[in-house]
Amino acid sequence: MTQPDMNQLMQQAQQMQAQLQEAQKEIVASVVTGEAGNGLVTMEMAGSGEVKSLSIDPKIVDPEDIETLQDLVLGAFTDANNKLQNLAQEKMGPLSQGMNGMGF
């Protein structure tokens, strides 16, 4: 059994590192939109996790029912966060699988 060429392995590792960094930049530069209540509450979240905007349709604002509004805001946040995680998996998944195949 021959030893793998260390120079080739290092070159592959450097390429992988560059691809991971590029994917991370793309994720941070992205913005996803989470929704709840069929779009009555929407939230834009940057790839960094920062909430960029929150929109609440006035027709769901009921001073007698704050709990529903709170649930919808949390729902929009959860939806945005899930979309961000899916985006990260989409961008990083193939790269991390490649690194596992290289013995990392």
Side-chain angles (χ1 to χ4, degrees), residues 1 6 17-19 23 31 33 36 42-43 50 52-53 57-58 61 65 72 76 83 87 100:
M1 188 167 165
M6 288 306 289
Q17 182 69 24
Q19 289 173 331
V31 175
T33 302
T42 60
M43 178 178 295
E50 177 186 358
K52 292 292 197 178
S53 71
D57 190 310
V61 178
D65 186 13
L72 288 171
K83 287 178 179 176
L87 177 66
N100 290 336

Side-chain angles (χ1 to χ4, degrees), residues 3-55:
Q3 289 290 329
D5 181 354
M6 288 306 289
N7 287 335
Q8 186 178 4
L9 282 177
M10 290 301 292
Q11 188 176 19
Q12 287 176 336
Q14 288 172 344
Q15 287 174 339
M16 249 340 165
Q17 182 69 24
Q19 289 173 331
L20 282 170
Q21 288 174 343
E22 185 61 32
Q24 287 171 333
K25 285 181 191 174
E26 288 180 31
I27 292 166
V28 169
S30 299
V31 175
V32 296
T33 302
E35 293 185 5
N38 291 323
L40 294 174
V41 175
T42 60
M43 178 178 295
E44 287 188 344
M45 182 181 288
S48 62
E50 177 186 358
V51 175
K52 292 292 197 178
S53 71
L54 173 65
S55 174

Side-chain angles (χ1 to χ4, degrees), residues 74-92:
L74 286 174
F77 178 84
T78 300
D79 187 43
N81 197 38
N82 288 339
K83 287 178 179 176
L84 195 55
Q85 288 177 3
N86 290 340
L87 177 66
Q89 181 61 36
E90 177 185 313
K91 299 279 185 194
M92 303 290 280

Side-chain angles (χ1 to χ4, degrees), residues 55-72:
S55 174
I56 300 173
D57 190 310
K59 68 183 168 192
I60 64 160
V61 178
D62 178 358
E64 301 296 318
D65 186 13
I66 298 301
E67 290 81 16
T68 297
L69 181 56
Q70 291 169 335
D71 288 344
L72 288 171

